[in-house]
Structure formats: C-alpha cells, structure tokens
Amino acid sequence: MEKFTIKDLYAKPTEFADKQVEIEGWIKTSRGSKKICFIEANDGSFLKNAQIIVKNDNPDFDEIRKWPIASTIRVNGTFVSTPDAPQPFEIHASKITLEGHSNSDFPLQKKEQSYEYLRTLAHLRPRTNTFYSVFKVRSMAAFAVHQYLQSRDFTYVNTPIITSSDAEGAGETFRVTTMDMNNLPKTEDGKVDDSKDFFREKANLTVSGQLSVEAYALALRNVYTFGPTFRAENSHTARHASEFWMIEPEMAFADLKDTMEVSEGLVKYVVNYLFEHAKEELDFLNSINEGLIDRLKETVNEDFAKVTYTEAIKLLEESGEKFEVPVKWGIDLQSEHERYLCEHIYNKPVFLTDYPRNIKAFYMRDNDDGKTVAAADLLVPEIGEMVGGSQREEREDKLRAKIDEFGLNEEEYNWYLELRKYGETVHSGFGIGFERLVMYVTGMANIRDVIPYPRTPGNAPF
Amino acid sequence: MEKFTIKDLYAKPTEFADKQVEIEGWIKTSRGSKKICFIEANDGSFLKNAQIIVKNDNPDFDEIRKWPIASTIRVNGTFVSTPDAPQPFEIHASKITLEGHSNSDFPLQKKEQSYEYLRTLAHLRPRTNTFYSVFKVRSMAAFAVHQYLQSRDFTYVNTPIITSSDAEGAGETFRVTTMDMNNLPKTEDGKVDDSKDFFREKANLTVSGQLSVEAYALALRNVYTFGPTFRAENSHTARHASEFWMIEPEMAFADLKDTMEVSEGLVKYVVNYLFEHAKEELDFLNSINEGLIDRLKETVNEDFAKVTYTEAIKLLEESGEKFEVPVKWGIDLQSEHERYLCEHIYNKPVFLTDYPRNIKAFYMRDNDDGKTVAAADLLVPEIGEMVGGSQREEREDKLRAKIDEFGLNEEEYNWYLELRKYGETVHSGFGIGFERLVMYVTGMANIRDVIPYPRTPGNAPF
C-alpha cells in the first residue's frame, strides 16, 4: 500500500475511489458514539482534513476513541468518495495505529482563542487553520516575488546584515558586539574601545540593503535584495516590528516611471499567483477577514492610481476631513492621510509621487523645481505605505552637495560617490516591506500575526 | 527605435540583422585608430559585450575616442551580423552619446588583479567578468533552491534572526543591543542589567533556524528556512565567514533516508538549473577554475555514495595516508579527512551516516546501538562538508534525558519539548551552507569571493 499525503487525496478523489490508501497525520478532532468514531486528521500537506471512520469492530476501538488531539496516527483503509457530504471523501480504517502520543492538556483545543494569546504559543499556532493559511500564503508570496523578478532577469543579491555603515542615517539601529559588557575594553580617555570589538569598529544590523545593492545594479543592471532588516524603534503599533523582511529591487537605465511599472507588476503578480496556488487558504482567510478576496480582485483588475504629493495635499485639504495631524504642504504624511487617500478618495492602490525633498532621503534625485524629489510611494487600502521608491541622484556633484547639506559624513559615502564617479548612470529602485505585503494579501491586521516569531520591543522569545 | 538589452541582441541575432537598434551600457574597452574606434559596451544584462563601431565621419570622433572606461553611453546604430568574427554581431553607430562621465583612474582597468585586492573594491568588483559570473550563478542557485522545494510543497518559513535562545548551545554568538556602552544600566550587584536592554533580556543573532522551523514542520509537514546565520568565531579560513546564508529543510513523517534523498535531489536540481540558465557564466568560470564543468557533470550523472562513519574511519585507517589529525573512531572528522574520502576514495559526493552521538548535537536521534545517532552529512570534493542532516529525537523522554545529559538548561527548551509532548512525530531535516554550495558550483576557492560584502573578523566595511 503506497503512502499518500492528504493533499494527494484531495487532488484526485476519483482516482483513489475504493482504493486502499495509507496516510499519516495528527488528530484534529475526534468524536463519535459507541459504534463509530470520526477522526479528522491533518498531515500538514493541505489545509483541509481527512475524515477517518473507525468502527467498533476494531479490537482497540475503546482505546482509539480516547486518543487525545494532536496525537500522531497512521491509517490504512479504504478511500470512499462522499460526493454528497461536506467533505469529498472518507477513509474507512482497516488499521489505525498511534505513532506518537499527545496530551490532554493540548492548549489549542478551544476555538476562538485570541490572536494575542496565540502569540504566546508561537511554536504551536501554525497548527491552527488561521496561521496555517497565513504562513502558506507568506511562503507562496515570497516565491512569487522571486519568480516575478527572476523571470525579468533580476539578479538576487544578498546584501550584508551586519554593517559598519548606518545606511541612510535614518532609523535607530541595533549594535552587534562580542565584547563582554561586564568587562569592556577602554581607551585612554575612559571611553569604550570599539576597535577591540569583533569587527574592530562599531557594527550594526542593517536598516536597508539599498545603497549596497545600487553597486550591483551598476554592474548587473536589474538586481534585488530580499532579506531581513532591523529597526530599533520603540514603536508598539500593529504595523511595526523590530525585525522584518524587505524586497529592494534596483535598476540601472531606469527612471521613476519604471519603478512604478515594476512594483505594480510585482504586486499584481503575487496576487495572481496566490489566486492560482492558494485557493483554499484565501477562501479560509476571506471567511475570517471580510472583503479580502474582493479587494484582491480589484487589485489585479484595476490600474493603480497616480497622483503627485502636491495634488494629494490639495485633495486632502479639500476633503473637509478632520485629521489628527493637520494637512499642509511639506508634512510627512501619516497613516491616516495615506489611508484616506486610497480608501476614500481612490478606493484602490495609489502611487504618490514627487514628495518634498526635505522629508525624503538624501539619495533621491532632485527634481528641477528645486523643491521636490523623484520619489513614488505606493499606498494601499488597510495598510497605508507598502512600497517606497525613487529615482536615485546619479549626478556626482549634486549627490556630494546633498550629502553635505543633509549633514552626513562624506567620507563614509566615498564608495557610494565612486559609483557615480565611474559611470554616472540613471538608476532607480524601490523597497517593499514584505510583511506589509503579506498583511495585504491575508487581511491580517497585526504584523505580529504574519511573522513566525515576531520581534518587538521587549519580545524575542523562542 | 526600440531600446534593447544586449542580452536581447545575443538571444536572437538573426532577427536583428541589419535593423536599427538602440542600447545603453558602460564602456568596457575602447581602442582603434584614427579612422575607426572599437568600443566594447556592456549593460549588465549579459556577460558578453556588444562591439560598437564608430567611424571618423562622426563629428565627435576625437572626443569619443577619449571617453574613459566605465563611462555610460547610449548608442543608436545598425545591427550587423558577423558570423565569422569572434563575436556574433557589431553595432555600427550612427549616433553615440555620453550619458554619464567616468574617470581615467577607474581602478578596474588592469587585468589579472588579485582577488585579495578586489575584495577591497567590493562595490566595483561585480563589474569584472569573474564576479559578474559568480553573482549571477549565486542568484540562480538561490532561485533553483526555492523552485525545487516549493515544487515539492515545502513551505518557506522565515525563522527569527534575533533570538534570546542560543539554539544548539553550539557556536559563539553575536550580542544584539541598544544599550549605551558608555553608560550601561547596572543591577544592585554592579553587573550589567540586561533587563534594561531593548528586548528586556539578552538577545543574540541566530546560529541556526532549525529548532524554530521544527515547530513548523510539525504543522505544515515540509518546510524550509533560507536566511542569514551568524558565527562569532575568530576563524580566518577560506571556508568560514561570520555571516552566511543557510537553507534548512525540515520534514515531518520523514526519516534519515528521506533527508539524503531530498538533499541529493536539491544539489542535482541546482546544478541542472545552472546548466540550463547560466551557460555563459559556467563556461567563463570553467575557464578560470579548471575542471569545474566536468565535476558538475559528474555530480548530476552519478549517485552520491553512502557510507557509515564507522566504515569511513576504517577506510581512512587503511588508506595509509598520513593525516595531521590522526584517525580513530570517535574523532570529529577534519576537512582533510572529509576531502580525502570524497576526492580520493569515492571521487564524488559522499553521505557519511551514523556519527558517534557524543560529537553531534543533542537533538539528533539516538540509534539503537547506544553509540551513534541518525545523522547524515554530505561531503563534496574541494569543499568538504556541505550538508549536515539528521533524524531528530522525537521521543519526548529520550530528548529530555539528552538535554540534561548535554548540560543544557531544560527550561529554555520547554517549548521544544512541547513539540513532542503534543504529537510525537518522526521528523528529519538538514542544513546546507549556501555559500559552500555556491563555491561548489562556481569553483571559487574562498568564501569571501562568493559573498557580495563578506563579513569576517575585523571586516564589516560598506
């Protein structure tokens, strides 16, 4: 008798009809009477369970009925099609064995446990339908990102996680050290001697791979990073984590319009990939997160809107809406503004372009108006900002002046300036917060519920 | 006139014959006479260059000849097939413009610069043929890994980078902190107060995602990690870096034999993928790393060997070879032993199985002999160990006893023990050092030359 996964059985029910099959799995539910026992088993290969029927002619019937939830079982039996029942088939067990014990205090027995509580069970929560679906979707979304970019000749570049540079000078960083904190080496003036640390200087966790990956765009044309980044910010919102994954495509010979095309294409590709490969998971998520599938259908069927920052400010001012942070040209838009734009004015994803230069990073290319930069952020319903992109300042003299103007240490950016000194090239790129994308495609409202083991201030267990 | 990449032109030379084309790119070489100038240009889309012909009827001819290497140009011209020349086509420029300057001191002009020197130019070295090829291959190998595993229903799980657990208790870790080292908070007894740190306890960079991903295997069956891991070891070999990427597949309902099947399948899939998608790059790498392609062909065409550790020790003892570390049962095999086995005895990749339990990690499943564990490492020519796999100890009582025996803190592993308490399940997995795999498929001898910005003791620039 060949071993099958439950996914196999669901994939070709007619092929298995009346055949003998063997599966392994975990007991999800067990109920019945003195005559018959119904066990729903899941083997992790598929969201849905296989229904197992055990009759009381089984000599171990009384024992089997008592096996606790989460026990590991092996079942041999007949595959019986049940076209009129909620599930398409049952397995009538001829033999069923306990392969591994479980325990009656298994904490996931009750339905409707809160997400907050389940976060304390990060090692067990993927066994629930919700988190099974979220993490299947997360995995497929990651693969779809790679597939989209690789099929367009983007080269995947693993930029460094530990770095002695602090990237854009933005964002609090985590220090990485091997020094004994209770016995720190000191310099003559009594300060900590960083030159005695592992890397012989201060080193941090990266906040972005963009600058490093630009060097690769200027050699391999289309490139991208996809890796973890870190922010040591003491924020406790539902959209921020201390550790999260970013996708950062970067393209030589490409301008701002190209970043919008590629990022719109990428988001739509991911959604279409999920429609094709994660049907059961999306259906389940749609049943708990209302409107999810409709929103995703709109995402792939409509062109994203485009509006300049200046025009958006006007629209917000004219909306008559009271915002917590008052709207005026020059402000850094808050989540409330971003969401109002895409949820109330456009009702779909919106690219906001040409932001004031003073609220954006030094590396963005100055527009000719002297006030704005060639930036384009993608705002999406429910989430707010999902993508931040820009054309990079490729003009060596202007970049050098801006590094000075922004108060950055020019020496630290020598290598970055050399990328312009040796082949000034129009180039552009964008970053997608991968968890924001996963929240968008799963409908989950808290970033802690789309990361296997989320890290936030005060929380790094497991 | 449509813009094309040089890759497009190489892909369909007959289609473009005698057509007008426009390309952008960087000058790689420029030479000629007073009558004609030959410029080789590359746009990053393809390893090979496009040859541009500029004649002295161009009014800017004298300027064009002086454009330095690495300058960014745009060329309009006629595509001329040259079936008898080394390159399949030339572009006879009707218009050529300088889009971005370069400088005559561009440091990559000379051939035969040492790899050591090029490491100091990590931001420019991808512009060389060697590193262009290495990093294209690295990218495709990464994608092939995802494709192989996803097509076999493995779910990609991003295990945490920052962790308060120290995983297997093996390997030196990097501490992650936001405390001000010059002003550390202290407890009453004068020690550093770790509870005041960002995560309210000590936190480190992960050395392996395995334990965390096991929780997911016991919910989603086939899972894998693919992310950065860290070792704060002061080693200066050609095979060790402080930051490197690992692939860690983990499978429920799978034993040691399954890990060998999947890891052999994975390595072969990656090599076949490269044969199909990276022909030019492999040809180039074969020209600088002798024997590469032959070795890779053998890799896909032959079954990997399998031998127990105990048998391997006998073979090494009987070989008559003098090793620096003498061979006897119970030793941790050194690189010299591993390479002797696969390069001299088997001449191909070899799985070594059933290692002594005392030299392996606590989570490996004890064999019935009481002396060995169900482990299987894959050793490959030129590299040594590339894969480390094992069946995991799924028996709750035995795992608990081993945690105690190995002197680990049982409390810290409570959640890991709960994975057994609630559904004891046979499961197995393995880890591949991704850089080792990239070294194997590129023939590069130093791990620093397969990582974009390598981190080693004393080195974290850029």
Side-chain angles (χ1 to χ4, degrees):
Chain A
M1 207 173 326
E2 214 184 319
K3 250 201 297 189
F4 297 102
T5 66
I6 291 172
K7 187 180 179 192
D8 294 333
L9 302 184
Y10 269 94
K12 297 178 180 165
T14 53
E15 206 169 280
F16 288 105
D18 306 321
K19 298 254 167 70
Q20 293 297 301
V21 294
E22 175 175 319
I23 61 157
E24 292 166 296
W26 299 289
I27 296 177
K28 290 283 168 178
T29 66
S30 176
R31 63 196 166 79
S33 65
K34 285 184 181 169
K35 290 191 175 169
I36 190 164
C37 174
F38 301 93
I39 294 175
E40 292 213 42
N42 189 290
D43 66 359
S45 69
F46 200 58
L47 177 63
K48 293 181 176 169
N49 302 323
Q51 172 138 289
I52 317 291
I53 310 283
V54 188
K55 296 207 178 114
N56 66 357
D57 57 1
N58 187 309
D60 301 321
F61 183 77
D62 289 333
E63 277 306 304
I64 292 166
R65 285 180 63 195
K66 284 184 255 164
W67 290 345
I69 288 178
S71 301
T72 311
I73 56 173
R74 182 195 307 267
V75 180
N76 297 276
T78 310
F79 182 105
V80 178
S81 294
T82 52
D84 300 327
Q87 72 284 352
F89 64 89
E90 299 169 341
I91 297 171
H92 291 212
S94 51
K95 189 176 161 197
I96 178 166
T97 53
L98 187 70
E99 297 290 309
H101 73 253
S102 177
N103 212 292
S104 59
D105 63 353
F106 180 59
L108 299 180
Q109 316 224 20
K110 280 184 231 142
K111 293 200 170 186
E112 305 296 332
Q113 285 165 319
S114 75
Y115 291 151
E116 286 78 2
Y117 173 66
L118 290 174
R119 280 175 215 144
T120 67
L121 301 173
H123 60 311
L124 300 176
R125 69 177 178 166
R127 302 182 185 190
T128 65
N129 286 339
T130 299
F131 289 98
Y132 182 99
S133 299
V134 166
F135 290 112
K136 275 277 184 193
V137 167
R138 181 179 168 119
S139 167
M140 289 185 200
F143 183 64
V145 167
H146 281 296
Q147 194 165 70
Y148 175 84
L149 292 169
Q150 295 262 342
S151 70
R152 278 151 190 79
D153 286 326
F154 280 73
T155 299
Y156 181 35
V157 179
N158 295 127
T159 47
I161 309 302
I162 299 174
T163 173
S164 57
S165 110
D166 66 348
E168 46 194 291
E172 295 291 311
T173 58
F174 289 103
R175 167 96 185 243
V176 173
T177 181
T178 55
M179 296 195 290
D180 177 356
M181 296 249 195
N182 282 308
N183 188 16
L184 288 169
K186 299 278 167 80
T187 58
E188 276 178 16
D189 61 356
K191 292 273 180 188
V192 172
D193 186 354
D194 295 321
S195 74
K196 295 284 198 307
D197 207 347
F198 190 87
F199 293 107
R200 294 195 208 118
E201 60 183 322
K202 265 190 175 177
N204 305 306
L205 293 181
T206 184
V207 297
S208 160
Q210 181 205 311
L211 303 196
S212 323
V213 89
E214 276 186 55
Y216 274 73
L218 296 171
L220 288 85
R221 190 173 186 127
N222 292 339
V223 298
Y224 68 109
T225 72
F226 191 168
T229 51
F230 305 85
R231 299 283 158 89
E233 273 150 30
N234 197 24
S235 54
H236 296 262
T237 81
R239 303 187 311 142
H240 291 91
S242 310
E243 174 181 321
F244 55 98
W245 286 60
M246 288 267 282
I247 304 144
E248 295 178 290
E250 190 75 28
M251 300 170 279
F253 311 110
D255 62 17
L256 192 66
K257 193 172 53 58
D258 297 311
T259 73
M260 289 189 275
E261 264 179 41
V262 174
S263 56
E264 179 167 347
L266 177 54
V267 170
K268 288 180 169 176
Y269 187 89
V270 168
V271 174
N272 278 321
Y273 186 92
L274 295 173
F275 278 141
E276 199 173 322
H277 293 89
K279 196 187 166 316
E280 284 75 19
E281 289 81 4
L282 288 185
D283 282 345
F284 179 81
L285 290 166
N286 191 59
S287 76
I288 58 171
N289 298 324
E290 208 190 317
L292 172 67
I293 287 181
D294 286 344
R295 183 152 53 74
L296 294 180
K297 280 190 180 156
E298 282 164 23
T299 302
V300 292
N301 290 334
E302 291 191 37
D303 289 340
F304 294 1
K306 277 176 199 156
V307 61
T308 64
Y309 169 94
T310 303
E311 182 64 22
I313 290 290
K314 261 191 230 150
L315 292 171
L316 291 170
E317 283 172 339
E318 290 163 11
S319 71
E321 183 78 8
K322 287 265 173 275
F323 295 105
E324 278 186 44
V325 175
V327 174
K328 76 173 213 226
W329 200 95
I331 65 161
D332 208 353
L333 293 181
Q334 305 298 307
S335 184
E336 53 173 343
H337 310 125
E338 296 174 341
R339 293 186 55 173
Y340 190 86
L341 278 166
C342 48
E343 289 169 25
H344 296 279
I345 298 185
Y346 289 98
N347 245 309
K348 60 179 176 180
V350 184
F351 283 108
L352 228 65
T353 67
D354 304 294
Y355 282 79
R357 71 192 287 282
N358 297 330
I359 61 168
K360 286 291 188 182
F362 76 95
Y363 52 71
M364 297 191 184
R365 193 181 197 276
D366 276 351
N367 286 328
D368 292 341
D369 63 12
K371 291 192 301 185
T372 61
V373 285
D377 288 358
L378 177 64
L379 317 178
V380 299
E382 308 286 330
I383 308 286
E385 183 192 332
M386 186 158 74
V387 177
S390 75
Q391 190 164 333
R392 315 310 187 187
E393 185 55 83
E394 87 281 11
R395 296 163 293 189
E396 189 189 352
D397 54 344
K398 289 201 191 289
L399 180 62
R400 192 182 302 276
K402 216 160 162 188
I403 285 173
D404 294 343
E405 181 195 337
F406 276 59
L408 302 170
N409 178 0
E410 189 180 310
E411 206 180 318
E412 211 184 296
Y413 293 94
N414 254 337
W415 69 271
Y416 188 65
L417 285 159
E418 282 193 355
L419 299 179
R420 280 73 177 164
K421 181 178 177 191
Y422 303 119
E424 229 177 57
T425 305
V426 171
H427 65 290
S428 304
F430 61 94
I432 299 193
F434 182 54
E435 280 78 10
R436 299 262 175 105
L437 178 61
V438 177
M439 289 166 75
Y440 188 68
V441 296
T442 57
M444 300 301 285
N446 195 310
I447 196 168
R448 293 165 185 77
D449 296 326
V450 301
I451 300 177
Y453 301 88
R455 271 72 184 96
T456 52
N459 284 297
F462 299 98
Chain B
M1 206 173 327
E2 211 184 322
K3 249 199 303 186
F4 297 101
T5 66
I6 292 173
K7 186 181 180 192
D8 294 333
L9 302 184
Y10 269 94
K12 296 178 181 168
T14 53
E15 205 168 280
F16 288 105
D18 306 320
K19 298 253 167 69
Q20 293 297 300
V21 295
E22 175 176 319
I23 61 159
E24 291 166 297
W26 300 289
I27 296 177
K28 289 285 167 175
T29 66
S30 175
R31 67 198 161 77
S33 64
K34 286 181 180 169
K35 291 192 173 167
I36 190 164
C37 175
F38 301 93
I39 293 175
E40 293 213 41
N42 189 290
D43 67 359
S45 69
F46 199 58
L47 176 62
K48 292 180 178 169
N49 302 324
Q51 171 139 289
I52 318 291
I53 310 283
V54 188
K55 294 205 179 116
N56 66 359
D57 57 1
N58 187 308
D60 301 321
F61 185 76
D62 289 333
E63 278 306 305
I64 292 167
R65 285 179 64 196
K66 283 184 254 165
W67 289 345
I69 289 177
S71 301
T72 310
I73 56 174
R74 182 194 307 267
V75 180
N76 297 275
T78 312
F79 182 103
V80 178
S81 295
T82 53
D84 300 327
Q87 71 285 352
F89 65 87
E90 298 169 342
I91 297 172
H92 291 213
S94 52
K95 190 176 162 199
I96 178 165
T97 53
L98 188 69
E99 297 288 310
H101 74 253
S102 178
N103 212 292
S104 59
D105 64 352
F106 181 58
L108 297 180
Q109 316 225 17
K110 282 186 229 135
K111 297 203 166 183
E112 304 295 334
Q113 285 165 319
S114 75
Y115 291 150
E116 286 79 1
Y117 173 65
L118 291 173
R119 278 174 217 145
T120 67
L121 301 172
H123 59 310
L124 299 177
R125 68 177 179 167
R127 302 183 185 190
T128 64
N129 286 339
T130 300
F131 289 98
Y132 182 99
S133 300
V134 166
F135 291 112
K136 274 278 183 192
V137 167
R138 182 180 167 118
S139 167
M140 291 185 198
F143 183 63
V145 166
H146 281 295
Q147 193 165 70
Y148 176 84
L149 292 169
Q150 295 261 343
S151 70
R152 279 153 190 80
D153 286 324
F154 281 74
T155 299
Y156 181 35
V157 178
N158 294 128
T159 48
I161 310 300
I162 299 173
T163 174
S164 58
S165 109
D166 65 349
E168 44 195 292
E172 295 290 313
T173 59
F174 289 102
R175 167 96 186 243
V176 173
T177 181
T178 55
M179 295 196 290
D180 176 357
M181 297 252 194
N182 283 306
N183 190 15
L184 288 169
K186 299 279 165 79
T187 57
E188 276 177 17
D189 62 357
K191 293 273 181 188
V192 171
D193 186 355
D194 295 320
S195 74
K196 296 284 197 308
D197 207 347
F198 189 88
F199 294 107
R200 293 194 208 120
E201 60 182 323
K202 264 191 175 178
N204 306 307
L205 292 181
T206 183
V207 297
S208 160
Q210 181 204 311
L211 303 196
S212 323
V213 90
E214 275 185 56
Y216 274 72
L218 297 170
L220 287 87
R221 189 173 186 128
N222 292 340
V223 297
Y224 68 109
T225 73
F226 190 169
T229 51
F230 304 85
R231 300 282 157 89
E233 272 150 31
N234 196 23
S235 55
H236 296 263
T237 80
R239 302 188 312 144
H240 292 89
S242 309
E243 173 181 322
F244 55 98
W245 286 60
M246 289 266 284
I247 303 143
E248 296 177 289
E250 190 75 28
M251 299 169 280
F253 311 110
D255 61 16
L256 191 66
K257 190 171 55 57
D258 297 310
T259 72
M260 289 190 275
E261 263 178 41
V262 174
S263 55
E264 179 167 346
L266 176 54
V267 170
K268 289 180 170 176
Y269 187 88
V270 169
V271 174
N272 278 322
Y273 186 91
L274 295 173
F275 278 141
E276 199 174 322
H277 294 88
K279 192 186 169 316
E280 284 75 19
E281 288 80 4
L282 288 184
D283 282 347
F284 179 81
L285 291 166
N286 192 58
S287 76
I288 57 171
N289 298 324
E290 210 191 315
L292 171 66
I293 288 183
D294 285 344
R295 182 152 55 74
L296 294 179
K297 281 191 179 154
E298 282 165 22
T299 301
V300 292
N301 290 332
E302 291 190 37
D303 289 341
F304 294 0
K306 277 177 199 153
V307 59
T308 64
Y309 170 93
T310 302
E311 181 64 22
I313 290 290
K314 260 190 229 152
L315 292 171
L316 290 170
E317 282 172 338
E318 290 164 9
S319 71
E321 183 79 7
K322 287 264 171 277
F323 295 104
E324 276 184 46
V325 175
V327 175
K328 76 172 211 223
W329 200 96
I331 64 162
D332 208 353
L333 292 182
Q334 304 298 307
S335 184
E336 54 172 342
H337 309 125
E338 295 174 342
R339 293 187 57 173
Y340 190 86
L341 279 166
C342 46
E343 290 170 25
H344 295 280
I345 298 183
Y346 288 99
N347 245 309
K348 62 178 177 181
V350 183
F351 283 109
L352 227 66
T353 67
D354 304 293
Y355 282 76
R357 72 193 286 281
N358 296 331
I359 60 168
K360 287 291 189 184
F362 76 94
Y363 52 70
M364 297 190 184
R365 191 181 199 277
D366 277 351
N367 286 328
D368 292 341
D369 62 13
K371 291 191 302 184
T372 62
V373 285
D377 288 357
L378 177 64
L379 317 178
V380 299
E382 308 286 330
I383 308 286
E385 184 191 332
M386 187 157 75
V387 177
S390 74
Q391 191 165 333
R392 316 309 186 187
E393 185 55 83
E394 87 279 11
R395 296 163 294 190
E396 189 189 352
D397 53 343
K398 290 200 192 290
L399 180 62
R400 192 181 303 274
K402 218 162 160 185
I403 284 172
D404 294 342
E405 180 194 337
F406 277 57
L408 302 170
N409 178 0
E410 190 179 309
E411 206 179 318
E412 209 183 301
Y413 293 94
N414 254 339
W415 69 273
Y416 189 64
L417 285 159
E418 282 192 357
L419 300 179
R420 281 73 179 168
K421 182 178 176 191
Y422 304 118
E424 227 177 59
T425 306
V426 171
H427 65 290
S428 304
F430 60 95
I432 298 193
F434 182 55
E435 279 77 10
R436 299 261 174 106
L437 177 61
V438 178
M439 290 168 75
Y440 187 68
V441 295
T442 58
M444 300 301 284
N446 194 309
I447 196 168
R448 292 165 186 77
D449 297 326
V450 302
I451 299 177
Y453 300 88
R455 272 70 182 98
T456 52
N459 285 297
F462 300 98

